Amino acid sequence: MEEKKTFDKNSIIGFALIGLILIWVMYMNPTEDKVPEENKTEQVESTSKQKPALNQTKSTPELAQESSSSLQDSVKSELAKREYGAFAYSAIKDFAKDDAVTTIENEVLELKVSNKGGQIVEAKMKKHDTYKGEPVYLIKDGNANFNISFEANDGRTYNTSDLYFEPNLSTENGSQTLSMRAKISDIEFLEFYYGLEQGDYMMNFGIRSQGLSNLISSENANLSWEVKALRKAKSISYENRYTEIVYLYEGDKDDYTGQGDEAIEKDELIEWIAFKQHFFTSILLTDSPFSSGKMTSRNLVQDEQVDTLFTKNFLAEVPIKLNNGEFSESMNWYHGPSDFKILSSYERQLDEIVPLGWGLFGWINRYVFIPFFGFLSSSLPSYGLAIIVMTIVVRIVLSPITYKSYLSQAKMKVLKPEINEINEKYKDNAMKKQQETMKLYSKTGVSPLAGCIPALLQIPVFYALFQFFPSAFDLRQKGFLWAEDLSSYDVIYEWDTYIPLVSWAYGNHISLFPILASVAIFFYTQMTAGQNMQQSSQPGMPNMKVIMYFAPLVMLIFFNNYASGLSLYYFISNLITIGIMLVIKHVIIDENKILAKIEEKKKKPKKKGKFGKKFQEIMEQAAEQQKKKQGDKDDNKKIDKK
């Protein structure tokens, strides 16, 4: 509640009078007279005879004590009214304690709900641990705050986080329900309802009220939900890369806040809001979409070398529409893993939280790689073996594309002497050189783009797998060979000293899988460089010498902090690709036969289609224009000489 806690002049006078009354009561309280020894027996008998009368009529001390207690209650009640307004009724009850909590739990989740604010103050995953072996907490030690504020006709703005709620826990058939009520009387209250079923991370959550229509003056209330995401992974930079707010709006649209230092998103018709971390998430869902919402994400990691406790600060603010001055909201709350299988089982499009990639990439992951990897991991004794087998299958499926690419490279290699001859002959005439080169390609049926197109066809698969492995919850804390966790980097050597630039770009450790993958990529690029080197001399073609060294270097540095499962995939993938290319080169493709076919094709007259004729016309026109420009230049030079 928003109220200035100062006492006016009347308050001071009132408390002074109350104090004087208390002193007067204590002063008027008589003391017992001593009874003479000789009258002791008589006094006892007299007292015994008067017992019934004493039970019916209270003595002066008892009346004074009751009067004092009544005054204390009055003072307590007056103070509660000043601070809690209409909800003072709850504030003076026995349950009005800041540290009082009620636990609601099942086999997988344990939640502690505080009497102060009626909100969750601790959410623990029972079956998951951090990289340090400690239980995973999504909410703990005051890192979260849930509040609903509304205006009242007494001029106050009430905040539920300041109010005291009376808990009432019940269990039926293994399911637990918890009612938290902030009361203004026995029959008038604001209630938070929590319902948790067996083995479920999803909890029913409701907000309702009774008898508050005469108190609430506004048509809407404001819901505010804030969480500081606790670190759970070994690499805070890697974990923070996948930590963000994701939300669904306007029926089927999803959006996220991204990775900036501070990001703010506003949208309408919000159906759910997820405070997503790498492998765990908290989600607030509503049956009736919020009319609007503002989501704010702020990065808390300023220095990755510092052992930071939090990654990002999340804040969601949405309005709640009241029904004739009463609350009536039906929601759900999810605290659990960011596991694609679990999230998709709720059929609320929660699987959008898992970053599988957009468009075609996400489709490949959803309907190909996730089911296939699930089958392999359930059939094989190790997740590392599942990655290897999956990689082998993917490379075999893509082998026809690899063959087409290598065949195109082999044809280019055979034509290389003739291309070099054309380059030398027309080295001073770029247009003529281009024309003659295109004629050669046309005669032989060879295209320099034929090797690029198959490579482009593989990009969706490679990118989908690049998204799949870091998002696969099943890989979390699953070891293979020297890697303790396939969802995090593997370590063969590490150090504590911060080395400028090195620690920033590479980290304070050495991972072996990225090194192996880099070596494999280096040998693969060397094999392909021999085929593609001549293409680098063509306009627009990449310099293969640069690529040959740049790609392994990127893998070595960039992937040192990435998931070891992803590096394992790239290592095995490049090894298999090298093997396939060796088989194609030495067993399937014969360069002499390729040359013979090219020479035979040269002798045959080539029929030009409409596109070929048009292309030739364009080239001839370009050549004429070039010749004309050159002639004009020569004429101008002659004039200048004169």
Side-chain angles (χ1 to χ4, degrees):
M1 291 172 297
E2 299 175 357
E3 184 185 5
K4 293 182 178 180
K5 297 183 179 180
T6 58
F7 293 105
D8 55 19
K9 183 179 179 181
N10 293 332
S11 299
I12 296 172
I13 294 172
F15 282 114
L17 290 174
I18 291 171
L20 290 173
I21 293 171
L22 289 174
I23 294 171
W24 178 80
V25 169
M26 294 174 64
Y27 177 78
M28 294 299 294
N29 187 10
T31 57
E32 284 190 33
D33 295 330
K34 291 185 178 180
V35 181
E37 189 67 28
E38 58 270 22
N39 296 330
K40 188 173 182 180
T41 305
E42 183 180 347
Q43 179 70 25
V44 172
E45 290 176 357
S46 174
T47 303
S48 300
K49 290 177 182 179
Q50 293 178 0
K51 273 185 181 178
L54 288 174
N55 289 335
Q56 296 175 2
T57 305
K58 295 183 179 179
S59 65
T60 302
E62 289 174 330
L63 289 171
Q65 187 175 2
E66 286 186 4
S67 177
S68 176
S69 177
S70 177
L71 285 169
Q72 289 175 2
D73 290 342
S74 298
V75 173
K76 185 177 180 182
S77 178
E78 181 65 25
L79 291 174
K81 284 180 181 179
R82 287 181 174 276
E83 187 167 0
Y84 300 100
F87 290 91
Y89 183 88
S90 289
I92 61 175
K93 299 295 183 180
D94 292 338
F95 57 80
K97 299 176 181 177
D98 291 354
D99 57 349
V101 296
T102 304
T103 301
I104 178 171
E105 60 184 323
N106 58 18
E107 299 86 348
V108 297
L109 182 63
E110 180 184 286
L111 303 172
K112 291 184 179 179
V113 183
S114 174
N115 291 7
K116 181 69 176 294
Q119 61 178 307
I120 300 171
V121 293
E122 188 170 292
K124 183 176 77 172
M125 307 292 103
K126 286 189 174 182
K127 295 188 176 182
H128 301 287
D129 297 329
T130 66
Y131 72 103
K132 293 182 177 180
E134 301 169 351
V136 169
Y137 288 92
L138 298 183
I139 299 174
K140 188 184 181 185
D141 296 335
N143 74 314
N145 183 58
F146 180 82
N147 179 59
I148 297 175
S149 64
F150 54 89
E151 295 177 0
N153 53 27
D154 59 3
R156 295 171 179 264
T157 297
Y158 287 93
N159 294 294
T160 59
S161 59
D162 295 333
L163 305 179
Y164 289 99
F165 288 72
E166 180 180 16
N168 185 9
L169 180 65
S170 60
T171 303
E172 184 177 353
N173 298 326
S175 299
Q176 290 189 323
T177 58
L178 174 62
S179 169
M180 304 292 293
R181 291 183 176 181
K183 298 181 177 181
I184 62 177
S185 71
D186 279 337
I187 58 173
E188 297 169 304
F189 54 82
L190 170 64
E191 180 183 45
F192 290 167
Y193 168 86
Y194 300 90
L196 190 60
E197 297 182 359
Q198 289 183 339
D200 200 351
Y201 292 101
M202 184 72 77
M203 175 180 59
N204 294 323
F205 177 63
I207 306 171
R208 76 182 189 95
S209 66
Q210 180 175 297
L212 297 189
S213 57
N214 294 326
L215 173 67
I216 300 176
S217 60
S218 57
E219 295 181 357
N220 294 289
N222 298 310
L223 185 154
S224 172
W225 179 34
E226 186 174 14
V227 173
K228 292 168 70 175
L230 290 162
R231 176 184 179 180
K232 299 172 184 62
K234 185 164 51 176
S235 172
I236 191 169
S237 59
Y238 187 61
E239 180 181 21
N240 211 19
R241 190 178 295 124
Y242 295 94
T243 301
E244 59 190 356
I245 300 178
V246 184
Y247 60 95
L248 189 75
Y249 67 103
E250 294 182 5
D252 59 352
K253 299 177 182 179
D254 63 276
D255 205 349
Y256 53 91
T257 52
Q259 299 299 318
D261 286 338
E262 185 174 56
I264 299 175
E265 296 289 338
K266 296 180 181 180
D267 274 300
E268 298 180 346
L269 299 177
I270 310 295
E271 296 197 12
W272 51 254
I273 302 168
F275 291 170
K276 174 191 169 296
Q277 300 175 54
H278 190 185
F279 285 122
F280 296 92
T281 184
S282 296
I283 313 169
L284 181 64
L285 307 94
T286 176
D287 291 349
S288 300
F290 301 118
S291 60
S292 62
K294 178 184 177 182
M295 282 63 66
T296 305
S297 173
R298 186 163 55 89
N299 186 22
L300 301 178
V301 181
Q302 301 301 323
D303 186 352
E304 295 177 0
Q305 303 303 318
V306 178
D307 189 16
T308 308
L309 182 61
F310 304 104
T311 53
K312 284 189 173 72
N313 189 90
F314 296 138
L315 174 63
E317 298 169 287
V318 295
I320 297 178
K321 188 170 180 60
L322 301 179
N323 185 12
N324 295 323
E326 300 286 355
F327 287 91
S328 181
E329 289 288 331
S330 180
M331 305 182 191
N332 293 96
W333 228 329
Y334 177 91
H335 296 285
S338 300
D339 188 332
F340 179 84
K341 295 187 291 294
I342 295 175
L343 294 175
S344 59
S345 67
Y346 294 109
E347 299 182 353
R348 294 284 300 269
Q349 294 181 263
L350 297 180
D351 50 9
E352 297 291 344
I353 293 170
V354 183
L356 299 177
W358 54 271
L360 177 61
F361 312 116
W363 187 92
I364 293 172
N365 276 325
R366 290 171 188 274
Y367 301 108
V368 179
F369 291 140
I370 289 178
F372 184 50
F373 187 77
F375 167 75
L376 291 176
S377 59
S378 62
S379 305
L380 298 172
S382 166
Y383 280 89
L385 289 176
I387 292 175
I388 293 173
V389 172
M390 182 174 174
T391 308
I392 293 172
V393 172
V394 169
R395 293 314 309 172
I396 291 174
V397 170
L398 295 177
S399 59
I401 297 177
T402 305
Y403 170 76
K404 288 285 186 182
S405 179
Y406 192 88
L407 180 62
S408 174
Q409 294 170 12
K411 289 179 180 180
M412 292 295 296
K413 182 179 180 182
V414 169
L415 287 179
K416 186 179 179 183
E418 295 184 56
I419 293 173
N420 289 340
E421 186 179 336
I422 291 172
N423 291 338
E424 183 64 29
K425 186 176 180 179
Y426 300 103
K427 61 183 178 180
D428 297 327
N429 191 338
M431 180 61 71
K432 187 65 175 176
K433 180 170 65 174
Q434 186 71 17
Q435 283 181 326
E436 293 300 319
T437 303
M438 294 304 296
K439 282 182 183 179
L440 178 63
Y441 289 153
S442 180
K443 283 181 182 179
T444 57
V446 176
S447 172
L449 297 177
C452 298
I453 293 174
L456 291 175
L457 292 175
Q458 299 181 65
I459 289 178
V461 176
F462 291 153
Y463 183 77
L465 288 169
F466 178 79
Q467 292 289 103
F468 169 76
F469 285 110
S471 303
F473 185 84
D474 290 341
L475 293 181
R476 185 178 183 272
Q477 296 184 345
K478 301 298 190 303
F480 181 67
L481 298 178
W482 57 86
E484 297 179 354
D485 186 350
L486 288 169
S487 70
S488 184
Y489 57 80
D490 61 297
V491 178
I492 57 171
Y493 181 75
E494 59 184 335
W495 60 92
D496 296 328
T497 306
Y498 179 79
I499 304 174
L501 189 61
V502 174
S503 296
W504 174 80
Y506 188 69
N508 280 14
H509 66 276
I510 297 175
S511 300
L512 183 55
F513 275 130
I515 295 175
L516 296 175
S518 300
V519 172
I521 289 177
F522 177 76
F523 283 108
Y524 168 73
T525 52
Q526 275 200 322
M527 290 179 64
T528 56
Q531 303 289 348
N532 293 324
M533 200 66 75
Q534 70 276 6
Q535 295 183 38
S536 62
S537 61
Q538 302 298 322
M541 293 295 179
N543 190 325
M544 296 307 297
K545 286 183 179 179
V546 174
I547 293 177
M548 185 171 65
Y549 295 105
F550 181 72
L553 185 63
V554 169
M555 171 64 72
L556 184 65
I557 297 175
F558 186 67
F559 280 79
N560 190 60
N561 292 303
Y562 258 67
S564 54
L566 184 63
S567 300
L568 172 62
Y569 157 73
Y570 278 115
F571 171 55
I572 300 299
S573 178
N574 282 285
L575 281 183
I576 296 170
T577 304
I578 290 171
I580 291 174
M581 290 185 67
L582 289 174
V583 172
I584 292 172
K585 180 178 180 181
H586 297 290
V587 179
I588 300 176
I589 291 180
D590 187 338
E591 292 183 1
N592 293 326
K593 290 182 179 180
I594 292 174
L595 180 60
K597 286 182 179 179
I598 289 175
E599 293 297 331
E600 186 179 344
K601 205 162 189 176
K602 281 184 187 178
K603 297 174 184 178
K604 294 181 180 179
K606 184 171 180 64
K607 295 181 181 180
K608 294 181 181 178
K610 291 183 180 180
F611 177 77
K613 289 180 181 179
K614 189 68 177 175
F615 182 75
Q616 185 173 357
E617 288 175 5
I618 293 171
M619 293 296 291
E620 288 174 355
Q621 289 175 4
E624 288 296 328
Q625 290 177 359
Q626 183 71 18
K627 211 181 269 187
K628 187 178 178 181
K629 285 181 181 179
Q630 188 64 37
D632 292 342
K633 285 181 180 179
D634 293 341
D635 292 341
N636 291 333
K637 285 180 180 179
K638 288 178 181 179
I639 292 171
D640 292 338
K641 286 180 180 179
K642 290 179 179 180

